[in-house]
Amino acid sequence: GKTSPSFKVSPTSDQVYQVTVTDNNCPATATVKVTVNPLPLANAGADTSICAGQSARLTASGGSTYKWSNSTQTPTITVTPASTETFTVTVTSQNGCAASDQLTVTVRPLPTANAGPDQPICAGSKAVLSANGVGTYSWSNGSTAAQLEVNPTITTSYTLTVTSQGCTATDQVVVVVNRTSASAGTDRSICRGDSTTLQASGGGTYLWSNGKTSPSFKVSPTSDQVYQVTVTDNNCPATATVKVTVNPLPLANAGADTSICAGQSTRLTASGGSTYKWSNSTQTPTITVTPASTETFTVTVTAQNGCAASDQLTVTVRPRPIADAGPDQSICTGESARLNASGGSSYKWSNNTQIPIITVTPVNTTTFSVTVTENGCDATDQLTVTVRPLPVANAGPDQSICAGKSAVLTASGGSSYKWSNSATTASITISPIGTQIFSVKVTQNGCEASDEMLLTVKPLPSANAGPDLSICAGQDAVLNASGGSNYKWSNNASTASITIRPIATQIFTVTVTQEDCVASDEMLLTVKPLPIANAGPDQSICVGQSAALNATGGSSYKWNTNASTSAITINPTTTQTYSVTVTQNECEAVDRVTITVNPNPSIKKDSSQFKAGGKSFIAVSVTGGKSPYQFQWFRNDTLTSTQEDLVGLKTGIYKLTVKDANGCNAGYGPELFIITSSRDVVGLLDLKIYPNPTQGQFRIEGKLNKKERVQVRILDTTGRDIWESDVKNADEFLYAPDLSNLAKGIYIIQLDVSGDLVYRKLILH
């Protein structure tokens, strides 16, 4: 019965509405069907309760998508509320209809547990533990009583668990077991007359059996004794004992006094114990001593019980006579020496002569000794008769020198020298003008000998390094020397003729040798610099373009194209390298320049023009050149879009220009692209299609500024429907098509928002 062209309806089930339209008295009828979709059965689950600090797992059902009041969008969530809280879930079915449900999570408080303060006890004692808190009790040792008695042997921690309304809390109490470890020290032995210090440990206070209250004190018992100490720590007592054993001293005997001559040794033997130590630090019972004068020796004797006693004896030392064999003497080979000894009443020489004065003629240096006896003691002295050998005079080997040079003559064999030219040093430098014989007289320890040598003087060679030369940098030069049998250049070359390539002007010197005599000569080699050839920087052009090359650096030029000017223009079809030879002052240099020819990109249609939904579309692709590409669509010579396709543009004739990353262009004329596309949807805030390109599975997401009907269709290039879906009333949408079974290629996505159409290209690969 409604007479207006539009009105709002709210049917509770599917309804068909018919309208009769009359214009110019001519009626016509039409119908429209309104389908009513059922709401989902939202179920948030049953109410639950937890203890404070615990988590609850909530699981909703009844739809295809879920959104909880804490913004979580999964059907199952885990929550940890601090207090009792109600959670709401909104369930949406695949038809886009939504319903809500809720549940309450009750949070029960934890009970209070108190196991009481920590307690100290002595080892072997007991402690009483008392529990506090509302609920039931459970101790870590299995007891469930509120109060229990324990007697641990070591410090132990007990845990109390209090349970109330299904919730638990714990507390701990530590029973500290104090144990006093008394020690009076180790048993020890002392010798009669010695003392020892007793040292107790393990507590705070001490009481000894002799009434002492300090942990340490000294005792000197005359017989074996046992001492007891009581140690108290943390009010816990303990006792310990120590025994002091008193050992007897040994009977030490160092032996009888004795007498020796100065320098002699005597054997001393002690007795009375098991170990011995003499005053000279020797630790054997029998020792041998050699005192320089009368001396008293003390021995400390130690018995097996560790006790020691001492005894001593005196060793009297009688003086020896002062033997004198006379001073050392020095003679030459063949001479005699007179020896005269003194200092005693009788004498005996090492050659068995028994008189104080003797004459000897040794052939070599010899040491003679004499033994002098006086008052039963003897002494020995000695002297050395040094036999000086005659020097071995040596004027050095014969020599030869070159004219104008000096020779060093070095004599050896003595301590002083005299040459035939009156020089008096061992080494002399001479420059004779001709061959000569030189002699030298050598003196050593007053003895003389002579020697001579021949000095030959040789003529010098005539050296020639050749004429001065001039070359270009980088060229070789040949140098020819003459005048001798051996050659040495300043560059260390050792042939008469050498080939060199210097980098700068140099003077070369040659040393010529002939019969060990040398002479030098030099020549100047001038190196002219090469021109600095420059063919210009490398260039990059596109196919069909030309390049201008401009060389610098010289007075004349020659390109590998046979051009002979500094500037040339070339038209390569492929990448080429060009070289130019530059000449300056008769020297040449070469440089190269590379012209990179980049291919132009080309544009092609991915398929023939097709129509879908009354709209005409094309898609293009670019090949060749270098990506990324820059797209420019011109309509009536006005730049309209820089997108790869014309989706979203108004109907018209467009010209496409594509420029690649190298700056090379490709273009089509306007006759090739006649495009018709729909207008953009005013209310569409955001549209995402990803991934694109895709292997078949992708997502379509969008947001609207108000709730509208949204329909999505996917078309192939013939305009045939491949896939479609719609949402009746939504302000955002999400589709996840799967086109994995379709052929690779280009497809069109049509988005219908309440009659407004939007198109996007989709690529399957």
Side-chain angles (χ1 to χ4, degrees):
K2 298 289 185 181
T3 58
S4 60
S6 68
F7 61 93
K8 184 180 294 186
V9 296
S10 300
T12 58
S13 60
D14 296 350
Q15 296 290 335
V16 176
Y17 297 87
Q18 179 176 298
V19 63
T20 300
V21 179
T22 302
D23 189 23
N24 293 324
N25 294 320
C26 296
T29 61
T31 62
V32 62
K33 181 179 180 180
V34 177
T35 302
V36 179
N37 293 316
L39 297 176
L41 296 177
N43 183 7
D47 293 341
T48 185
S49 65
I50 59 173
C51 295
Q54 291 182 338
S55 298
R57 184 179 177 87
L58 312 182
T59 300
S61 61
S64 58
T65 64
Y66 302 85
K67 186 171 184 180
W68 290 86
S69 51
N70 64 357
S71 299
T72 308
Q73 297 186 23
T74 56
T76 299
I77 64 174
T78 300
V79 295
T80 310
S83 59
T84 299
E85 186 175 347
T86 298
F87 293 88
T88 301
V89 64
T90 300
V91 179
T92 303
S93 63
Q94 289 185 339
N95 61 18
C97 296
S100 298
D101 190 26
Q102 62 184 22
L103 61 79
T104 299
V105 178
T106 301
V107 180
R108 302 189 303 274
L110 299 179
T112 300
N114 184 1
D118 294 342
Q119 299 186 41
I121 62 172
C122 292
S125 300
K126 296 180 180 181
V128 177
L129 307 182
S130 298
N132 290 293
V134 178
T136 61
Y137 304 102
S138 176
W139 293 89
S140 53
N141 64 353
S143 174
T144 58
Q147 190 176 75
L148 71 156
E149 187 177 83
V150 294
N151 56 343
T153 58
I154 59 174
T155 297
T156 304
S157 175
Y158 296 87
T159 300
L160 170 67
T161 300
V162 179
T163 303
S164 177
Q165 296 183 3
C167 297
T168 62
T170 61
D171 189 30
Q172 286 186 336
V173 60
V174 177
V175 178
V176 179
V177 178
N178 295 314
R179 188 182 302 275
T180 301
S181 179
S183 173
T186 58
D187 292 343
R188 73 279 311 274
S189 295
I190 63 172
C191 297
R192 183 182 298 275
D194 289 344
S195 62
T196 186
T197 299
L198 304 184
Q199 178 69 54
S201 62
T205 62
Y206 303 87
L207 179 62
W208 290 88
S209 53
N210 61 358
K212 297 288 186 180
T213 58
S214 63
S216 173
F217 62 94
K218 184 179 291 187
V219 294
S220 300
T222 58
S223 60
D224 296 350
Q225 295 289 337
V226 175
Y227 299 87
Q228 178 177 295
V229 63
T230 299
V231 180
T232 302
D233 190 26
N234 290 322
N235 295 319
C236 298
T239 61
T241 59
V242 60
K243 181 179 180 180
V244 179
T245 301
V246 180
N247 295 313
L249 300 179
L251 297 175
N253 183 9
D257 294 341
T258 187
S259 175
I260 61 173
C261 292
Q264 286 184 337
S265 299
T266 185
R267 186 179 178 88
L268 310 182
T269 300
S271 62
S274 59
T275 64
Y276 302 85
K277 186 171 183 180
W278 292 86
S279 51
N280 63 358
S281 299
T282 307
Q283 298 186 23
T284 57
T286 298
I287 63 173
T288 299
V289 296
T290 309
S293 58
T294 298
E295 186 176 348
T296 298
F297 293 87
T298 301
V299 64
T300 299
V301 178
T302 303
Q304 289 185 342
N305 60 17
C307 294
S310 297
D311 190 26
Q312 61 185 22
L313 61 80
T314 299
V315 177
T316 302
V317 179
R318 302 190 306 275
R320 290 182 178 274
I322 300 175
D324 184 7
D328 292 340
Q329 300 185 40
S330 178
I331 62 174
C332 292
T333 300
E335 293 181 344
S336 297
R338 182 181 176 85
L339 312 182
N340 187 0
S342 61
S345 57
S346 63
Y347 303 88
K348 186 173 183 179
W349 290 90
S350 52
N351 62 359
N352 291 322
T353 305
Q354 299 185 17
I355 56 177
I357 301 174
I358 63 174
T359 299
V360 294
T361 309
V363 296
N364 297 308
T365 296
T366 304
T367 298
F368 295 89
S369 63
V370 63
T371 300
V372 178
T373 303
E374 184 71 35
N375 192 27
C377 294
D378 57 31
T380 301
D381 190 27
Q382 63 184 22
L383 62 82
T384 299
V385 178
T386 301
V387 180
R388 302 189 303 274
L390 297 178
V392 179
N394 185 2
D398 294 341
Q399 298 184 42
S400 63
I401 62 174
C402 298
K405 299 294 183 180
S406 298
V408 177
L409 309 185
T410 301
S412 61
S415 59
S416 63
Y417 304 88
K418 187 167 185 180
W419 291 88
S420 52
N421 63 355
S422 298
T424 58
T425 57
S427 180
I428 63 174
T429 301
I430 58 174
S431 302
I433 58 176
T435 299
Q436 292 186 47
I437 294 176
F438 290 85
S439 64
V440 65
K441 180 182 290 186
V442 178
T443 302
Q444 179 70 33
N445 293 326
C447 297
E448 295 180 348
S450 297
D451 191 28
E452 61 183 23
M453 59 85 65
L454 173 65
L455 181 59
T456 303
V457 179
K458 298 178 294 185
L460 298 178
S462 178
N464 184 6
D468 294 341
L469 297 174
S470 177
I471 61 172
C472 293
Q475 290 183 340
D476 292 335
V478 179
L479 310 185
N480 291 302
S482 61
S485 58
N486 292 303
Y487 302 87
K488 183 68 176 288
W489 291 87
S490 50
N491 64 352
N492 291 324
S494 58
T495 58
S497 179
I498 63 173
T499 300
I500 58 175
R501 184 179 293 179
I503 61 175
T505 297
Q506 292 185 48
I507 294 176
F508 287 86
T509 302
V510 64
T511 300
V512 179
T513 303
Q514 183 70 33
E515 292 185 357
D516 297 329
C517 292
V518 297
S520 298
D521 190 29
E522 61 184 24
M523 60 84 65
L524 174 64
L525 180 56
T526 301
V527 179
K528 296 180 293 185
L530 297 179
I532 301 175
N534 185 1
D538 293 341
Q539 300 183 41
S540 179
I541 64 174
C542 300
V543 172
Q545 293 180 343
S546 61
L549 307 182
N550 189 12
T552 60
S555 58
S556 63
Y557 304 87
K558 185 66 179 264
W559 292 88
N560 61 345
T561 62
N562 291 323
S564 57
T565 58
S566 60
I568 64 173
T569 301
I570 46 112
N571 299 91
T573 58
T574 60
T575 297
Q576 299 285 341
T577 297
Y578 297 87
S579 63
V580 62
T581 301
V582 177
T583 304
Q584 181 72 34
N585 194 26
E586 299 181 351
C587 294
E588 296 179 345
V590 178
D591 191 28
R592 293 172 176 79
V593 60
T594 298
I595 307 301
T596 302
V597 180
N598 297 310
N600 292 317
S602 60
I603 306 174
K604 70 174 183 178
K605 297 179 181 179
D606 287 339
S607 63
S608 300
Q609 182 171 316
F610 63 93
K611 294 184 177 181
K615 308 294 183 180
S616 297
F617 299 91
I618 68 158
V620 299
S621 64
V622 179
T623 59
K626 182 179 181 182
S627 65
Y629 304 104
Q630 297 179 8
F631 291 83
Q632 292 183 324
W633 294 89
F634 293 89
R635 184 169 183 263
N636 297 329
D637 295 327
T638 299
L639 178 62
T640 305
S641 174
T642 58
Q643 302 300 316
E644 183 176 352
D645 53 34
L646 283 178
V647 174
L649 297 182
K650 296 181 179 180
T651 302
I653 298 175
Y654 291 86
K655 177 181 179 181
L656 171 62
T657 298
V658 177
K659 179 181 291 187
D660 70 359
N662 291 323
C664 297
N665 296 318
Y668 270 135
E671 70 279 359
L672 293 180
F673 297 100
I674 303 174
I675 309 300
T676 301
S677 69
S678 69
R679 64 184 176 87
D680 284 337
V681 177
V682 175
L684 185 61
L685 300 178
D686 188 20
L687 177 61
K688 297 179 182 178
I689 301 173
Y690 61 92
N692 188 11
T694 177
Q695 293 183 347
Q697 294 183 346
F698 61 99
R699 298 169 72 90
I700 304 172
E701 294 182 9
K703 293 183 180 179
L704 303 170
N705 59 10
K706 63 178 181 177
K707 291 187 177 182
E708 297 194 56
R709 178 179 178 273
V710 180
Q711 183 183 42
V712 176
R713 299 174 64 202
I714 300 178
L715 315 173
D716 63 13
T717 55
T718 66
R720 180 171 60 92
D721 283 350
I722 302 301
W723 183 91
E724 68 176 39
S725 181
D726 64 359
V727 176
K728 295 298 184 180
N729 189 23
D731 54 6
E732 59 182 43
F733 53 88
L734 168 64
Y735 299 98
D738 187 351
L739 306 183
S740 302
N741 60 338
L742 296 183
K744 297 179 180 178
I746 295 178
Y747 295 84
I748 298 298
I749 298 175
Q750 173 185 288
L751 187 67
D752 184 342
V753 182
S754 298
D756 290 335
L757 301 180
V758 174
Y759 294 91
R760 293 291 185 269
K761 181 174 69 174
L762 176 69
I763 300 175
L764 292 186
H765 65 81

